[in-house]
Amino acid sequence: MARYSDEELGMRSKITRRDFLDGAAVAVAGAAAATALPGLGGTAAAATAHPKHGTHPTHGGHGHGGHGRPPAYPPTGTGLQGQPAGSYDVGHAVRDGDFDPGRIRDSGERYDLVVVGGGISGLAAAYYYRQQHGRRARILILEAMDDFGGHARRNEFEVRGRTLLSNAGTVNLDTPSTWTKQAHTLVTRDLGIDLKRLGDSVDDTAYDTYALTSGTFFDSETWGTDRLVVRGKGESWQSYAARMPMTDQGRADLVTLQTTTVDYYPGLSDARKKEILARISYERYLRDKVGIGDEAIAHIARATNGLYGLNADGVPAADAASLGQPGFAGLALEHTTWPGISGTAQMHLDADEGDGYYYFPDGNASVARLLVSHLVPGVFGGAQSMTGIVTAKARYDRLDEERSPVRVRLGSTAYDVRHVSESRPGRGVKVSYSRGGESYRVHAANAVMACWNSVTSYVVRGLPPEQAEAMRYGVKIPLLYARVALRDWRALADAGVSRVSTPTSYFNSFGLPQATRLGRFEMPHEPSLPTVLSLSKTPNKPRAGLSARQQHKAGRVELVKTEFATFEREIRDTMARSLGDHGFDPGRDISAITVNRWAHGYAYEYNSLDDPSLFEPEEKRPYALARRSHGRIAIANSDAQAFAYTHAAIDEAYRAVRELG
């Protein structure tokens, strides 16, 4: 099938242009909302930088002290969101040694604690500090992006009179049975999140009425034809594969992969099998042991992208086994410990996991919102319950009021954090930051760096060289989360699919949201009603002889260079080609598109193929050295645990505050 034209895809449709311009309007309105800093003349139009972010006034500014017009509402922005163009300028300039701060204005502000980074780790650090030092403790949170929450932010859409929510980044609370006491207490007791109720808010049977299953879309560029193959309820792999545009050998390999019960290491102990699997890639195991070829490999190569940002050639077979990927059933591995290796993050989850995943309709944005509601109560008008926070509207003009003990200052990129006296750290810390092309300085008794380790290594002055080097070891995984608001999803119902895997297309998959009902919010789940589809992509460079960290860097370059129009066209093209025979018209059915670009996404999790320190005690790994406090400056963020999970971010915040005393 020929690729669709721009006109057929709706690239020039009036509504799409309007949606894209609405996204641009968010940036313009946000910049216009900038107001004077307390105690200073002039204005400070917001600048984002480092993500999770400059001198360019992009994507939203929020006035200090409650003066000026209310800012634009970041969650409703369409077009390119997450870490947009211009959000790295200050950070990159500092890294490259060519940042000129210009005149630095001392704001005269004095705080007990300055937190650099307004993600969940930074917000949790502020919460723990106030818990330890009292509600009168003065705390400033500097966040480089246009919204709080870091990766835990949300997308909001209004379609046909209905509010639709989706996660823009961090999606769920994972395996509470593995949490520390501190993380469990903060989430369940302090924030009031009832995990059972949250679990019950997801209706796993909502789509059963429509007999939906999964499917695979084969594109003509790779497979010779465009074909959506839907797997029937209970259909065997033999029957399913028979309808795929593969050679007979490719189909046979796929069936073998999915059904094998052969022990490919007969006679070896459980410990020895695991040691071998930790040192070879999943793809190498599939080729050399299971004996499958290129077509079956192509079908499954990206199945590991969601957690690792890498294809099967870059992921240890041990981790693939831990995740339940096919091909290992006959090995009868014990899901306990992994002798011979101190363990990757996924191996530990596999050994300890005793429960599942818990979703808010907007992902973990609700966790960040609950933290803010406790730190700065006026922002959500008193809403502090897990049900009320989902639909509460944030008052962004209340985040940074002079009268508030805790203040959240958005669009503010810290570029210099140092002790007033390196020889006498107890004299406190001074923090310089850029906002709207202007430089400001505040003073504090303490600081918590809750931004990325790599950023901290360039921003904190006086760090031991070996610690700065350790901070730069891990490389954030680049991620792309696209959200497509549809007027209805009749085409998916007609095709009989809730999720479509697209193993060789631009995006990895697309699918319907979880059907959730929490408080006054309910995600529509009838085909005639609007919905939000999720698409994901993790750019990488497989089979190029690159390490995981090198692949992440290469993927980031690709992601940053790609324009929104390219993302949009790929979204429309893939959906049109896979669902066109079922009545899908992208020009008519798509109401809005938001692309959340996280060039610096997941925390780097160590890989037994590339990271020899995994075979050594934890204290010898770079991240353990990187998280050491430096005088009155402590280190938080999930980077400090090399574990890309919300409870890790909370744990590191707790540790950082405890180290400050």
Side-chain angles (χ1 to χ4, degrees):
M1 181 187 297
R3 293 175 67 90
Y4 288 76
S5 68
D6 283 359
E7 183 176 358
E8 291 171 317
L9 292 174
M11 290 289 290
R12 302 187 183 94
S13 65
K14 181 178 180 181
I15 190 166
T16 302
R17 291 182 63 202
R18 185 197 72 204
D19 288 330
F20 180 73
L21 291 173
D22 283 348
V26 170
V28 174
T35 55
L37 283 163
L40 297 177
T43 63
T48 60
H50 264 43
K52 154 155 219 214
H53 268 239
T55 55
H56 294 298
T58 62
H59 285 267
H62 306 292
H64 296 280
H67 307 294
R69 296 192 298 129
Y73 205 71
T76 60
T78 55
L80 191 60
Q81 299 292 313
Q83 297 157 0
S87 64
Y88 317 99
D89 292 4
V90 167
H92 286 176
V94 171
R95 177 199 64 192
D96 298 337
D98 58 4
F99 175 65
D100 180 5
R103 176 192 170 204
I104 303 174
R105 306 182 189 185
D106 194 314
S107 71
E109 297 170 274
R110 298 293 186 271
Y111 294 94
D112 299 296
L113 175 71
V114 169
V115 180
V116 177
I120 284 182
S121 199
L123 296 171
Y127 185 91
Y128 283 131
Y129 190 89
R130 191 170 67 156
Q131 190 178 62
Q132 184 168 310
H133 294 277
R135 299 180 66 86
R136 297 181 65 180
R138 286 183 51 77
I139 302 171
L140 173 66
I141 301 170
L142 295 173
E143 170 53 50
M145 288 175 58
D146 65 333
D147 205 352
F148 55 81
H151 297 117
R153 55 190 291 170
R154 67 198 237 160
N155 295 141
E156 295 183 21
F157 302 93
E158 288 289 333
V159 182
R160 295 170 54 200
R162 292 180 177 269
T163 298
L164 307 174
L165 297 177
S166 183
N167 66 298
T170 312
V171 61
N172 64 309
L173 294 166
D174 200 311
T175 56
S177 63
T178 67
W179 296 359
T180 62
K181 177 182 178 181
Q182 290 76 30
H184 208 284
T185 298
L186 176 63
V187 171
T188 61
R189 187 194 70 184
D190 298 355
L191 299 184
I193 297 176
D194 183 332
L195 293 175
K196 183 181 185 306
R197 185 175 183 184
L198 189 59
D200 291 343
S201 71
V202 177
D203 185 354
D204 291 326
T205 66
Y207 295 116
D208 287 357
T209 303
Y210 313 107
L212 304 182
T213 66
S214 60
T216 303
F217 172 66
F218 296 86
D219 60 89
S220 56
E221 294 89 337
T222 306
W223 306 95
T225 185
D226 283 342
R227 184 182 301 175
L228 174 64
V229 183
V230 179
R231 188 178 185 186
K233 288 279 187 180
E235 183 178 15
S236 69
W237 272 99
Q238 288 84 351
S239 174
Y240 185 32
R243 293 180 284 114
M244 296 180 179
M246 292 181 170
T247 64
D248 289 343
Q249 185 61 56
R251 297 188 191 100
D253 286 350
L254 186 59
V255 172
T256 296
L257 167 64
Q258 296 291 343
T259 63
T260 182
T261 57
V262 174
D263 184 349
Y264 297 104
Y265 299 106
L268 298 186
S269 67
D270 183 75
R272 179 57 180 154
K273 289 176 183 178
K274 289 174 177 176
E275 183 180 356
I276 293 172
L277 294 175
R279 296 179 182 274
I280 63 171
S281 73
Y282 183 33
E283 180 174 335
R284 181 51 52 199
Y285 169 77
L286 294 177
R287 289 186 183 276
D288 292 353
K289 291 298 180 180
V290 184
I292 66 175
D294 289 345
E295 288 181 295
I297 292 291
H299 188 272
I300 200 172
R302 298 199 309 203
T304 52
N305 278 192
L307 286 176
Y308 292 95
L310 299 168
N311 285 15
D313 68 307
V315 174
D319 278 312
S322 295
L323 296 171
Q325 291 295 329
F328 301 97
L331 274 61
L333 298 173
E334 297 176 9
H335 294 278
T336 51
T337 58
W338 291 80
I341 181 174
S342 52
T344 67
Q346 299 308 320
M347 291 177 193
H348 287 308
L349 283 180
D350 178 54
D352 300 331
E353 183 174 336
D355 50 11
Y357 319 102
Y358 296 86
Y359 299 87
F360 278 96
D362 59 356
N364 286 354
S366 278
V367 178
R369 287 158 67 88
L370 282 169
L371 280 164
V372 170
S373 75
H374 283 74
L375 292 168
V376 196
V379 174
F380 290 100
Q384 290 188 331
S385 70
M386 62 177 280
T387 54
I389 203 69
V390 173
T391 52
K393 289 293 183 182
R395 286 282 306 274
Y396 282 85
D397 59 319
R398 303 291 298 274
L399 283 169
D400 194 13
E401 292 187 316
E402 192 166 2
R403 63 185 180 182
S404 176
V406 181
R407 304 171 69 171
V408 181
R409 188 163 296 168
L410 300 176
S412 301
T413 304
Y415 63 81
D416 190 300
V417 179
R418 66 178 71 198
H419 292 105
V420 173
S421 169
E422 283 297 330
S423 61
R424 299 173 61 190
R427 294 182 60 188
V429 178
K430 51 186 178 182
V431 180
S432 300
Y433 67 93
S434 175
R435 193 169 191 268
E438 302 288 340
S439 292
Y440 305 94
R441 178 174 293 147
V442 297
H443 296 259
N446 306 281
V448 169
M449 302 301 295
C451 53
W452 318 326
N453 272 0
S454 59
V455 173
T456 298
S457 74
Y458 292 101
V459 169
V460 175
R461 310 302 174 177
L463 284 173
E466 63 273 17
Q467 184 174 5
E469 181 181 1
M471 286 179 165
R472 297 168 192 168
Y473 182 85
V475 178
K476 292 278 196 181
I477 301 174
L479 305 169
L480 193 67
Y481 290 164
R483 302 296 180 252
V484 181
L486 300 181
R487 296 182 179 277
D488 61 66
W489 54 277
R490 290 186 175 95
L492 282 90
D494 186 75
V497 292
S498 59
R499 178 160 295 277
V500 175
S501 172
T502 54
T504 52
S505 297
Y506 186 81
F507 285 91
N508 295 347
S509 66
F510 64 86
L512 293 169
Q514 291 276 4
T516 56
R517 183 174 186 175
L518 191 62
R520 292 185 295 167
F521 178 81
E522 182 175 8
M523 178 63 77
H525 54 268
E526 298 176 13
S528 62
L529 298 178
T531 195
V532 178
L533 292 187
S534 296
L535 300 92
S536 65
K537 176 181 176 64
T538 55
N540 52 43
K541 297 294 181 184
R543 299 182 181 176
L546 303 178
S547 68
R549 290 178 294 145
Q550 290 170 330
Q551 286 203 53
H552 298 329
K553 289 179 180 179
R556 177 177 306 139
V557 171
E558 173 192 332
L559 198 58
V560 171
K561 288 182 177 180
T562 305
E563 297 180 349
F564 174 77
T566 298
F567 298 138
E568 179 183 11
R569 196 180 200 292
E570 292 289 352
I571 290 167
R572 292 176 175 274
D573 184 68
T574 296
M575 293 181 63
R577 294 164 73 181
S578 56
L579 296 174
D581 290 343
H582 299 277
F584 184 79
D585 182 338
R588 177 197 65 207
D589 296 336
I590 293 177
S591 178
I593 296 175
T594 298
V595 174
N596 302 289
R597 182 180 69 182
W598 301 108
H600 301 263
Y602 289 152
Y604 179 72
E605 294 183 353
Y606 285 39
N607 182 319
S608 60
L609 300 179
D610 297 323
D611 301 301
S613 63
L614 272 177
F615 296 88
E616 300 176 350
E618 183 181 31
E619 60 268 19
K620 293 188 176 182
R621 299 177 197 168
Y623 68 82
L625 171 59
R627 67 189 177 203
R628 295 177 183 174
S629 291
H630 176 60
R632 305 311 303 165
I633 304 169
I635 312 300
N637 186 4
S638 57
D639 283 352
Q641 201 174 122
F643 194 40
Y645 288 81
T646 294
H647 54 284
I650 294 172
D651 286 339
E652 293 308 308
Y654 179 81
R655 177 195 50 75
V657 170
R658 296 282 290 184
E659 288 179 355
L660 290 174

